[in-house]
Amino acid sequence: MKFQIEDVTVYFPYDYIYPEQYEYMVELKRALDARGHCLLEMPTGTGKTVALLSLITSYALARPSPPLKLLYCTRTVHEMEKTLAELRLLHSHLPPTHRSLALGLSSRKNLCVNPYVLSSASRDSVDSACRRLTASWVRAAAAEQPPGAVPTCSFFESYDRAASSGPDAVLLPPGVYTLGDLRALGREKGWCPYFLARQMIRYANVVVYSYQYLLDPKVAGIISREMQRECVVVFDEAHNIDNVCIEALSVSVRRQTLDGATRNLHRMAQEIDRFKATDASRLRAEYNRLVEGLAQRGNLALTDAWLSNPALPDDILKEAVPGNIRRAEHFLSVLRRLVQYLKGRLQTENVETERPVDFVASVSSQAGIDQKMLRFCYDRLHSLMLTLEITDTDEFLHIQTICDFATLVGTYMQGFSIIIEPFDERMPHIPDPVLQLSCHDASLAIKPVFDRFQSVIITSGTLSPIDLYPRLLNFNPVISRSFTMSLTRDCICPMVLTRGSDQLPVSTKFDMRSDPGVVRNYGRLLLEMVAAVPDGIVCFFVSYSYMDGIVNSWNEMGILQDVMQHKLVFIETQDVVETTLALDNYRRACDCGRGAVFFSVARGKVAEGIDFDRHYGRLVIMFGVPFQYTLSRILIARLEYLRNTFQIKEGDFLTFDALRQAAQCVGRVIRSKADYGMMIFADKRYSRHDKRSKLPGWILSHLHDAHLNLSTDMALHIAREFLRRMAQPYDKAGTGGRKTLLSQEDLEKMGEDPMNMF
Amino acid sequence: MAVINMAAKYKTTVKEPGTPGVLRMSEDKFIFVPNDPRSAMKLNVNFRNIKGHKFSKDGSKQALLNLTQDSEKGGGYIFEFDNFSDRNVCRDFVGKVLGKFQAVTSSRQNEQPVPEKPAATVHSEQLSTTEMERRMKLLWEDSELQKLHKQFVIGGVLTESEFWATRKSLLDDVVQRTPKQRAGFRSAMLADVRPSTDGRTNKVTFSLTPEIIHQIFAEKPAVHRAFLNFVPIKMTEKDFWTKYCRAEYLHRTKNSVAAAAEAAEDEELAVFLKHDDILANEARCKIRRVDPTLDMEADLGDDYIHLPDHGILRDGSKETADAENELARRTLSQDLNRHATVVLEGRALDVELGDTRTAAEALARSKQELCTETSDEKTNQERLEKVSRMTEIEDLQAPHSLPYAPLCIKDPREYFDSQQANAVKALGDTGAGIKPVDFSLKTEEAYTYLLEQISEVKVRGLNNLVVQPEATLKVLNGLNPYLSSTKYHLGKKPQECVLDMLPNRTKDELLHHWTSIQELLRHFWSSYPITTAYLYNKVLRLKDAMTHIYHKLQEIKEAVQSDFRHQVSLLVQPMLQALDAAFAHYDTEQQKQSTKSGNKPNGFVQ
């Protein structure tokens, strides 16, 4: 369908539209008009993504100059695939003259088609295997020697030949390219899909990639450097964006890291000696380049591009590298001293917490390395490794980590802390010392994004309380709004279960969670539900260890065997491959009508981005409140920082964080208004007002007072009633004054009569 | 079937000594000839009169066989045999014969016996027992079919083969359906064998059944491979399972130190404790075919937080369980996932679970087949389609036409009748009984309203024509007679139909006649053109039967109470018409024959 929002013609790929989608688009358009950032919370299951894509694409078509580019950030690759699929649907509804180019970008591992490189298993060996074939010096050597003597990548060579005649020669025809499409295209044409995609993001109208490509300064430097200001950046499913920002700037150093770094340094010293003997001019040339400043890094060959400096402000890049680390040997000895110092710090018996200022001072006095030298470590290492023509970069990860750490600690004085722990709190008998540089200020990583691009849109199903995010991320949204869901029928049914079948309270509170009565009550709840609910059921637990424990207990008690009489059981494990296969099988079991239960972990990978819509999830049970591990030193340090800087109370933040996770877990059951699902919050603490009120409004509005304090048998009764009600035919378009489904005519009528809107 | 001759004693009661003689059993009757020709105890009984048979247990005092007669005729024929093996031969034979007649005799209860015509058996062809059983099963399942069969085949109108010829598809269906159903794996985790202790000693007992072993093979390819490699060359099957159970026990007790020690000593035992490399390979192969919208493995390389030492390491959300020991890595979660996967894949082989070795080999074969079938292109295409289908929001657009399987109801009338009955009952239960009255009021209102409208239109004429007036008139005229006749009897309840108002007997008869007529007419029309004498005879027979039914229908029509007469005649009319058409056809054909071959005195077509 096609309709007008003010002066923009919006192309929408469906025959009908939800009113909240329309409102969402209106708000979005205002934000784009104002060229400002915005924050929008809309319930899951109302077609957020398609509304976003459709409005921004239409907006770009309506205002062709300056060309507006959409950078769409997803958290995971599979979400990227989903977004591209929606984009493809939208594309088929655009007028043929308005076709645009959209593509997904991922790492070499997901895009490479070279069979030799692919045979290496992990990401880093794919990266370094690629470099081994495509680094500029390798190619130079291959050009000098007879063909075949030095292996190169045929895909990259043919791409390079094609691209050398100008960017038009490799320009992709308009369309939507998923990772699979890019790979297929690469195989067909013999071009390297990875470098093709890297090249194409300059010309593409829509780029879909992972958060890290904008937030992690190391990656953002090379991938997103050339994006112009006229970009709309969308962070979808952004309820965890503060955690992503924090992780992007956090580094930890373990004993293995230091040992590895020592080995790396040793090898680099050997390389330097070799170069001194054979090709001393290279080292001299590097020295001269460093005198002129690092800013010249810009014109490196495409394939040599490196993860760039972690978050150095631009003005620093114009400075020259300090004189005392310009010579390769000097720099190596600085690194050696640093590694030695860190080794000394790790040999502590107690937990130590330090601010970066103190740490830098101590490094300076004990190892003789000042702040400026620390700050340049990462770039200096990068330069040195290029000079030494090191291709097997995955061997040198350890020293990179050390330099990363040094640069961060030398750059930021605020918002970080250094925590040294001699062992893991939960396993005190195993010595495993860790030095962690942890970032507390989420705004540091996202600041360049807000500064650089004209509109940044942060959206998710759970952004409650919506006023907290601008504070955490330190920005001023022009529009910040939370939408509710207009429903034709009550298609979600949240319940709070506080008591088990024996009327005793259930909770995952620390003192209660291992109580066999609670474990049994939780098991009985699941057992009753698998017998009553058709198709798929998803269970979320508070942590892996808790899940393992309770599943084992259920197995011993025989509850698991009874559950298996009704449904197959699949479990998320820490092994990603196994979890993926389990999910795939779970879906198949739901498809074929067998029915299945999936056990998963809140804050785990599955909770992050897998949808359990339609028959894949008719019921979600959230066992317990997913609080963070409150004894963690890092969390304590972060809470302290939040209290001092933003005046956010510890308890409030913890509850907010736990409830947004819980809401995120249960929110995955709804995809559209035709869909339906139940949500059981199984913990007595949910019935307390201070916890419950932190849930997003669209869940709260369906949480009746009668459903606040249930026991297993009552919940079962409600579930049966609900399922029976949902099985009845209903009027999709909504009746009476409030329509829940709008057709093109409705929208046109609304356009004529703006007073009558909603 | 053959004829059996057996020496036996005939008695009228169990107590009496009995008359020695020879029992001769053939397919349709048994004859007892006493050894003493003067004895009056001669028997010649048709099996049709036999209701059932009883016999004494093997090893009891006497080897008896009692052929019980219809209850109203009383008594039975008791035979005592010399030994049990003789008795058993006869018993089996009787069982078979009675089984064959059961379909016929069972339907005899509330009907008067149909005169038996020897003609029925003249055309009986040689049939395999399986074919026979299949037919009998069909008759058993479908009471209507049984009735027809009884009426026409036993009644001599149609031959057995003629009757079944039109129902070949039914028979084939049965043949096809039976082997299709294959039992899958049980949902229960059998492979998770739990040891039982006797409580007194330290002995632990594991019990394995073929079913469990099969599941172990399917879920643990390493054990399966080990079995194929080791048994019986290296060790016996018993040793193999003992070792396996020992490994399981070590695993269960979570005694990783002991497990490691044992594994170091015994390399065969280590096989059971080690990580399963076949599974790992399979997983690697499968992960490529996984739906990209849930491929979490692709993320691993995409964000840099997953690089070692980046991001927050120890904040409690990630738990780094170090794999200190290769042996202790198998967890319950993995077992559960594996089990569910195997159950979902289903059982791929059809061997009896008796012999372990053959089961293992069959499994290996089926696995090989599985590995070779990989049409990547096609699956990829399917996956893409699925993804695009999944991304669409269903209620924002018109529904897709999904492929559907046609609904097959074997006996539609029975099904719908029962549904209707249920619906009526449910209505009555919920107290919505007033509803029909309400409805009838509305129809009347609607009727008067319609009348008014029509008269109005007649007066004023139509301004804006919705429908053509001629068409409307035609429809109204067509409806009116029907309305007027049924207005007061019908339509009061929407679920009601004319048949329900008739007395039960009349209704059943009508329905029965209707199906009979259908059957007869089908045969009748399919016999034309008449080319052989056989067909001619058949048509004659059919015509006779049809005339018979015709008269019956007339009788019903007349016998029925006056207030139903109109409805009944309405119902009967189409049947009579169909029959009339058939008779007319027959007569014209007959005339043609006679004019064409008038010189032939007998009128037969040779």
Side-chain angles (χ1 to χ4, degrees):
Chain A
M1 69 197 277
K2 202 168 92 176
F3 54 88
Q4 294 282 331
I5 292 183
E6 289 155 23
D7 54 337
V8 174
T9 310
V10 180
Y11 300 94
F12 193 69
Y14 296 105
D15 301 335
Y16 296 94
I17 186 170
Y18 296 138
E20 48 271 61
Q21 279 179 323
Y22 183 75
E23 282 181 82
Y24 186 87
M25 287 185 183
V26 170
E27 296 290 349
L28 200 57
K29 175 179 179 284
R30 288 183 188 147
L32 293 183
D33 281 341
R35 302 188 173 228
H37 312 313
C38 74
L39 191 65
L40 298 168
E41 181 191 37
M42 184 151 92
T44 51
T46 45
K48 238 183 349 266
T49 310
V50 73
L52 260 174
L53 291 173
S54 141
L55 183 93
I56 296 173
T57 312
S58 308
Y59 191 88
L61 292 179
R63 311 259 157 92
S65 63
L68 193 69
K69 186 182 233 162
L70 170 60
L71 302 181
Y72 195 99
C73 301
T74 60
R75 282 177 309 174
T76 55
V77 175
H78 48 94
E79 284 182 328
M80 186 191 299
E81 295 277 354
K82 268 189 281 186
T83 309
L84 285 167
E86 300 223 23
L87 205 55
R88 176 169 290 162
L89 181 72
L90 172 65
H91 245 247
S92 59
H93 288 76
L94 287 182
T97 49
H98 286 66
R99 305 311 283 277
S100 51
L101 177 64
L103 56 90
L105 180 66
S106 180
S107 62
R108 286 182 173 92
K109 174 177 164 265
N110 288 335
L111 279 173
C112 185
V113 289
N114 188 324
Y116 168 72
V117 175
L118 272 184
S119 57
S120 40
S122 78
R123 169 222 158 83
D124 295 294
S125 34
V126 170
D127 273 6
S128 66
C130 178
R131 286 214 181 85
R132 217 169 286 144
L133 297 179
T134 59
S136 57
W137 55 88
V138 173
R139 296 181 59 217
E144 282 165 16
Q145 296 196 4
V150 178
T152 53
C153 175
S154 64
F155 292 97
F156 180 73
E157 294 303 323
S158 65
Y159 165 74
D160 197 49
R161 268 196 302 281
S164 59
S165 59
D168 289 344
V170 289
L171 199 60
L172 293 173
V176 178
Y177 296 87
T178 62
L179 301 184
D181 295 336
L182 285 171
R183 278 197 302 266
L185 188 100
R187 279 207 191 89
E188 183 196 319
K189 296 210 174 187
W191 292 349
C192 173
Y194 176 71
F195 288 105
L196 177 66
R198 286 267 307 272
Q199 185 82 10
M200 278 306 112
I201 57 173
R202 278 184 228 174
Y203 308 100
N205 307 81
V206 183
V207 180
V208 183
Y209 54 31
S210 161
Y211 275 24
Q212 268 71 37
Y213 286 83
L214 274 183
L215 290 182
D216 192 333
K218 299 190 283 296
V219 201
I222 37 164
I223 304 289
S224 311
R225 192 173 38 193
E226 298 183 23
M227 302 297 179
Q228 69 273 33
R229 186 174 160 69
E230 287 77 26
C231 279
V232 180
V233 178
V234 175
F235 289 104
D236 197 3
E237 304 285 352
H239 46 273
N240 268 337
I241 193 166
D242 52 331
N243 291 337
V244 178
C245 291
I246 282 170
E247 292 226 1
L249 291 185
S250 297
V251 183
S252 57
V253 177
R254 303 169 78 185
R255 195 169 275 160
Q256 295 95 303
T257 325
L258 291 173
D259 293 343
T262 315
R263 279 198 304 277
N264 293 157
L265 288 173
H266 188 64
R267 213 183 118 197
M268 282 163 91
Q270 283 175 338
E271 290 285 314
I272 290 174
D273 288 344
R274 192 167 64 81
F275 268 100
K276 262 190 191 155
T278 57
D279 193 4
S281 61
R282 283 189 69 93
L283 291 170
R284 247 195 321 281
E286 188 205 16
Y287 181 86
N288 292 333
R289 212 175 64 224
L290 292 172
V291 172
E292 286 164 32
L294 282 173
Q296 283 186 353
R297 279 181 319 140
N299 37 28
L300 283 172
L302 183 63
T303 45
D304 296 347
W306 196 261
L307 301 185
S308 76
N309 188 302
L312 271 192
D314 271 350
D315 49 330
I316 290 183
L317 289 179
K318 302 206 171 59
E319 275 182 60
V321 173
N324 45 8
I325 55 171
R326 273 181 214 158
R327 284 184 69 90
E329 313 89 69
H330 292 173
F331 177 58
L332 278 197
S333 73
V334 164
L335 286 182
R336 257 190 222 112
R337 288 209 301 278
L338 181 64
V339 170
Q340 202 53 47
Y341 173 77
L342 292 174
K343 268 187 186 161
R345 291 302 302 266
L346 274 186
Q347 277 164 355
T348 176
E349 296 283 310
N350 308 312
V351 178
E352 293 173 25
T353 307
E354 227 169 282
R355 288 186 304 141
V357 186
D358 305 331
F359 187 81
V360 170
S362 135
V363 172
S364 165
S365 65
Q366 291 188 34
I369 306 170
D370 64 13
Q371 190 187 356
K372 197 172 176 195
M373 283 151 79
L374 283 177
R375 196 186 299 165
F376 276 94
C377 270
Y378 195 85
D379 275 312
R380 184 66 191 89
L381 177 76
H382 176 200
S383 164
L384 181 63
M385 283 173 75
L386 279 184
T387 312
L388 296 180
E389 299 184 345
I390 289 170
T391 43
D392 45 350
T393 47
D394 52 335
E395 296 288 318
F396 286 84
L397 278 179
H398 299 297
I399 191 69
Q400 286 177 54
T401 308
I402 301 290
C403 288
D404 198 0
F405 170 79
T407 305
L408 283 171
V409 99
T411 310
Y412 295 106
M413 293 291 114
Q414 283 295 317
F416 280 81
S417 59
I418 290 155
I419 296 164
I420 307 172
E421 282 181 292
F423 48 76
D424 192 334
E425 207 84 1
R426 282 160 293 184
M427 287 179 280
H429 53 284
I430 305 167
D432 179 23
V434 177
L435 184 148
Q436 301 185 87
L437 173 72
S438 95
C439 173
H440 304 312
D441 191 350
S443 65
L444 289 176
I446 205 170
K447 186 168 182 294
V449 181
F450 282 130
D451 290 347
R452 226 170 111 196
F453 300 111
Q454 69 173 39
S455 288
V456 176
I457 293 146
I458 292 178
T459 185
S460 171
T462 31
L463 290 176
S464 306
I466 203 160
D467 54 329
L468 188 60
Y469 283 86
R471 278 157 82 197
L472 286 179
L473 302 177
N474 189 22
F475 75 111
N476 290 314
V478 292
I479 284 169
S480 129
R481 200 176 150 185
S482 177
F483 295 89
T484 52
M485 196 171 180
S486 65
L487 289 180
T488 355
R489 50 172 186 172
D490 286 335
C491 66
I492 59 172
C493 177
M495 295 178 241
V496 174
L497 181 126
T498 55
R499 288 161 291 139
S501 41
D502 55 2
Q503 306 301 326
L504 289 175
V506 290
S507 175
T508 55
K509 243 163 104 177
F510 195 72
D511 51 347
M512 278 176 77
R513 63 166 62 170
S514 49
D515 178 1
V518 172
V519 170
R520 189 184 309 274
N521 270 334
Y522 275 149
R524 301 295 307 174
L525 168 67
L526 179 64
L527 187 54
E528 299 282 1
M529 287 299 163
V530 289
V533 178
D535 296 327
I537 293 182
V538 197
C539 302
F540 287 100
F541 298 87
V542 290
S543 68
Y544 279 114
S545 57
Y546 180 65
M547 181 172 77
D548 272 350
I550 203 167
V551 169
N552 271 313
S553 316
W554 285 348
N555 189 34
E556 297 300 322
M557 290 175 181
I559 291 175
L560 207 58
Q561 284 70 22
D562 292 343
V563 169
M564 270 192 277
Q565 296 283 317
H566 299 281
K567 289 186 193 302
L568 294 175
V569 176
F570 294 96
I571 303 188
E572 174 182 5
T573 62
Q574 311 233 30
D575 178 3
V576 187
V577 175
E578 176 160 358
T579 308
T580 306
L581 290 178
L583 265 175
D584 195 46
N585 283 322
Y586 169 80
R587 285 213 168 162
R588 220 159 337 130
C590 293
D591 280 337
C592 75
R594 186 78 172 70
V597 196
F598 196 84
F599 291 167
S600 179
V601 174
R603 296 169 196 279
K605 291 224 145 272
V606 173
E608 285 263 299
I610 303 291
D611 283 338
F612 291 101
D613 51 340
R614 297 171 301 147
H615 60 290
Y616 297 132
R618 287 298 182 210
L619 168 69
V620 194
I621 307 179
M622 178 78 234
F623 289 107
V625 186
F627 279 115
Q628 289 193 51
Y629 178 61
T630 41
L631 296 180
S632 148
R633 304 276 166 189
I634 291 179
L635 183 63
I636 292 170
R638 186 175 175 203
L639 290 175
E640 197 182 310
Y641 178 83
L642 286 175
R643 194 184 54 219
N644 294 338
T645 331
F646 301 118
Q647 286 78 48
I648 298 171
K649 276 190 227 145
E650 281 103 334
D652 282 353
F653 182 79
L654 286 176
T655 315
F656 149 75
D657 185 66
L659 269 290
R660 73 172 163 183
Q661 296 301 339
Q664 193 53 33
C665 291
V666 300
R668 313 231 66 109
V669 278
I670 291 283
R671 165 152 184 88
S672 69
K673 289 181 184 178
D675 196 5
Y676 59 91
M678 290 177 286
M679 307 152 177
I680 296 182
F681 298 94
D683 193 307
K684 65 169 183 178
R685 288 173 287 176
Y686 284 111
S687 66
R688 284 168 50 184
H689 182 260
D690 62 320
K691 301 275 186 301
R692 200 178 64 231
S693 59
K694 299 266 191 328
L695 286 171
W698 58 275
I699 294 183
L700 275 183
S701 64
H702 288 90
L703 188 56
H704 308 301
D705 286 344
H707 294 179
L708 284 184
N709 187 10
L710 301 175
S711 62
T712 303
D713 42 342
M714 291 152 83
L716 184 67
H717 179 72
I718 292 170
R720 289 220 171 100
E721 285 284 298
F722 176 77
L723 288 170
R724 192 177 308 151
R725 205 164 57 238
M726 286 301 116
Q728 308 306 319
Y730 74 105
D731 176 20
K732 282 196 179 125
T735 45
R738 196 169 169 78
K739 291 200 115 180
T740 53
L741 215 55
L742 303 176
S743 67
Q744 192 157 343
E745 288 151 39
D746 293 331
L747 288 174
E748 276 160 15
K749 239 181 264 166
M750 263 165 31
E752 287 161 18
D753 185 11
M755 294 308 290
N756 198 20
M757 252 175 72
F758 312 112
Chain B
M1 262 190 262
V3 176
I4 291 185
N5 290 311
M6 200 66 72
K9 284 182 196 161
Y10 170 69
K11 359 176 163 180
T12 44
T13 59
V14 186
K15 296 274 165 62
E16 72 174 81
T19 326
V22 174
L23 177 67
R24 179 187 168 88
M25 290 203 227
S26 69
E27 222 173 310
D28 51 357
K29 58 181 180 177
F30 64 90
I31 300 164
F32 180 78
V33 184
N35 287 349
D36 180 5
R38 288 164 302 172
S39 166
M41 286 299 187
K42 269 184 198 159
L43 282 179
N44 185 349
V45 183
N46 200 309
F47 269 124
R48 288 187 207 286
N49 300 330
I50 301 300
K51 284 298 279 182
H53 63 296
K54 296 177 190 159
F55 46 89
S56 56
K57 252 188 231 158
D58 278 19
S60 58
K61 233 191 268 171
Q62 294 167 303
L64 295 176
L65 179 69
N66 184 357
L67 301 175
T68 49
Q69 242 173 342
D70 285 19
S71 46
E72 65 260 33
K73 283 179 191 166
Y77 308 95
I78 302 172
F79 298 98
E80 190 189 339
F81 294 86
D82 298 340
N83 51 42
F84 283 98
S85 62
D86 283 358
R87 201 277 318 268
N88 289 349
V89 170
C90 290
R91 178 195 67 190
D92 294 346
F93 183 84
V94 169
K96 263 184 214 158
V97 172
L98 286 182
K100 215 166 131 188
F101 283 112
Q102 217 154 19
V104 182
T105 47
S106 67
S107 64
R108 196 175 284 176
Q109 269 127 19
N110 47 8
E111 315 271 336
Q112 58 269 62
V114 183
E116 282 157 36
K117 287 183 186 171
T121 44
V122 169
H123 284 284
S124 73
E125 75 252 81
Q126 280 313 104
L127 278 178
S128 64
T129 43
T130 50
E131 180 77 15
M132 208 62 210
E133 275 165 16
R134 222 176 283 147
R135 287 178 183 185
M136 261 151 63
K137 192 163 160 261
L138 267 180
L139 289 179
W140 259 119
E141 282 171 358
D142 191 345
S143 59
E144 199 137 299
L145 198 65
Q146 198 183 356
K147 258 190 215 162
L148 279 182
H149 183 262
K150 192 210 77 193
Q151 185 180 1
F152 295 126
V153 180
I154 316 290
V157 179
L158 295 171
T159 64
E160 182 91 10
S161 56
E162 274 169 3
F163 184 78
W164 287 111
T166 51
R167 290 183 173 73
K168 274 220 172 78
S169 60
L170 270 182
L171 287 171
D172 290 347
D173 256 16
V174 176
V175 182
Q176 282 170 1
R177 217 174 305 142
T178 32
K180 254 187 199 166
Q181 188 93 35
R182 212 162 50 187
F185 273 114
R186 302 256 293 276
S187 301
M189 283 249 282
L190 296 174
D192 184 29
V193 202
R194 300 194 174 203
S196 54
T197 47
D198 57 2
R200 276 169 295 177
T201 54
N202 279 333
K203 210 163 88 179
V204 185
T205 321
F206 284 85
S207 50
L208 300 172
T209 64
E211 178 92 25
I212 295 179
I213 288 174
H214 185 220
Q215 209 180 58
I216 291 175
F217 282 157
E219 287 181 20
K220 299 174 183 168
V223 177
H224 179 218
R225 183 181 52 187
F227 183 87
L228 286 177
N229 289 344
F230 295 162
V231 179
I233 309 142
K234 244 174 139 177
M235 55 177 91
T236 64
E237 196 178 325
K238 191 166 184 306
D239 287 346
F240 180 85
W241 292 115
T242 319
K243 271 213 165 77
Y244 173 79
C245 292
R246 181 153 188 78
E248 275 300 288
Y249 184 72
L250 287 172
H251 176 71
R252 289 187 71 81
T253 49
K254 301 199 172 64
N255 190 346
S256 58
V257 182
E262 294 237 6
E265 271 171 31
D266 188 342
E267 59 176 282
E268 282 105 39
L269 191 101
V271 169
F272 302 130
L273 290 169
K274 253 195 265 168
H275 189 66
D276 200 329
D277 58 323
I278 303 179
L279 279 186
N281 282 337
E282 249 176 50
R284 209 170 301 143
C285 173
K286 273 185 199 156
I287 197 97
R288 295 207 190 111
R289 276 179 274 167
V290 121
D291 184 349
T293 56
L294 45 74
D295 188 359
M296 294 190 292
E297 201 255 343
D299 292 341
L300 265 190
D302 202 52
D303 56 29
Y304 288 75
I305 286 171
H306 292 105
L307 289 188
D309 304 326
H310 284 258
I312 294 170
L313 178 72
R314 203 180 277 167
D315 68 344
S317 61
K318 290 171 211 126
E319 281 144 59
T320 41
D322 281 302
E324 48 193 284
N325 191 347
E326 204 210 351
L327 299 178
R329 272 214 314 233
R330 211 184 78 194
T331 59
L332 176 64
S333 326
Q334 280 170 326
D335 281 353
L336 283 173
N337 280 338
R338 177 69 195 154
H339 168 73
T341 311
V342 168
V343 171
L344 199 60
E345 274 166 7
R347 194 192 300 257
L349 67 163
D350 288 317
V351 276
E352 301 276 317
L353 289 179
D355 186 29
T356 324
R357 177 86 201 168
T358 46
E361 275 163 0
L363 191 67
R365 266 199 307 281
S366 70
K367 278 226 176 108
Q368 268 169 4
E369 283 160 24
L370 221 118
C371 282
T372 47
E373 56 97 28
T374 39
S375 50
D376 264 359
E377 282 299 305
K378 212 177 157 198
T379 49
N380 211 16
Q381 192 59 35
E382 272 168 30
R383 212 167 52 190
L384 277 179
E385 272 167 28
K386 205 177 154 204
V387 167
S388 66
R389 211 169 50 233
M390 294 238 326
T391 46
E392 284 171 20
I393 302 178
E394 46 205 326
D395 58 340
L396 285 185
Q397 66 180 30
H400 285 279
S401 57
L402 291 169
Y404 59 89
L407 176 67
C408 168
I409 300 174
K410 205 166 188 182
D411 190 347
R413 222 189 67 227
E414 225 163 67
Y415 173 77
F416 286 115
D417 281 359
S418 68
Q419 288 298 305
Q420 207 176 34
N422 285 342
V424 172
K425 219 164 74 185
L427 266 179
D429 287 347
T430 49
I434 324 131
K435 215 175 164 187
V437 180
D438 207 61
F439 189 84
S440 87
L441 269 176
K442 269 186 190 157
T443 19
E444 257 163 51
E445 273 169 17
Y447 181 64
T448 48
Y449 177 74
L450 204 65
L451 268 179
E452 278 170 26
Q453 290 289 312
I454 291 168
S455 53
E456 201 177 32
V457 167
K458 262 184 188 162
V459 176
R460 293 196 300 152
L462 276 173
N463 297 338
N464 45 351
L465 293 177
V466 187
V467 257
Q468 292 295 317
E470 299 93 275
T472 334
L473 198 64
K474 215 168 154 190
V475 172
L476 276 174
N477 282 340
L479 281 173
N480 267 338
Y482 175 71
L483 269 178
S484 62
S485 71
T486 53
K487 189 186 158 204
Y488 297 104
H489 302 292
L490 295 175
K492 280 185 181 162
K493 291 182 194 168
Q495 334 47 25
E496 212 169 59
C497 75
V498 188
L499 277 175
D500 287 333
M501 295 161 53
L502 299 177
N504 254 349
R505 212 177 75 87
T506 328
K507 178 184 158 189
D508 287 346
E509 264 174 33
L510 275 176
L511 288 174
H512 177 63
H513 286 313
W514 179 237
T515 42
S516 327
I517 290 169
Q518 276 180 329
E519 176 74 20
L520 288 173
L521 284 174
R522 191 159 47 229
H523 284 285
F524 179 83
W525 290 111
S526 66
S527 313
Y528 280 97
I530 298 170
T531 47
T532 60
Y534 171 71
L535 276 179
Y536 185 83
N537 278 329
K538 186 180 167 190
V539 169
L540 265 183
R541 267 187 282 127
L542 287 169
K543 202 201 126 216
D544 287 345
M546 286 195 295
T547 342
H548 183 71
I549 291 181
Y550 195 92
H551 291 311
K552 278 245 177 94
L553 281 175
Q554 296 286 14
E555 273 168 36
I556 291 174
K557 224 166 105 179
E558 268 137 46
V560 84
Q561 284 170 350
S562 58
D563 44 346
F564 295 124
R565 190 164 292 158
H566 180 64
Q567 257 98 56
V568 172
S569 68
L570 272 183
L571 284 169
V572 169
Q573 199 56 37
M575 306 188 210
L576 295 181
Q577 275 170 359
L579 288 176
D580 282 337
F583 291 143
H585 184 80
Y586 176 80
D587 288 341
T588 49
E589 283 290 306
Q590 198 72 359
Q591 263 174 6
K592 257 189 228 162
Q593 288 301 328
S594 54
T595 48
K596 220 189 274 174
S597 51
N599 46 352
K600 280 189 180 172
N602 53 4
F604 270 61
V605 181
Q606 295 303 321

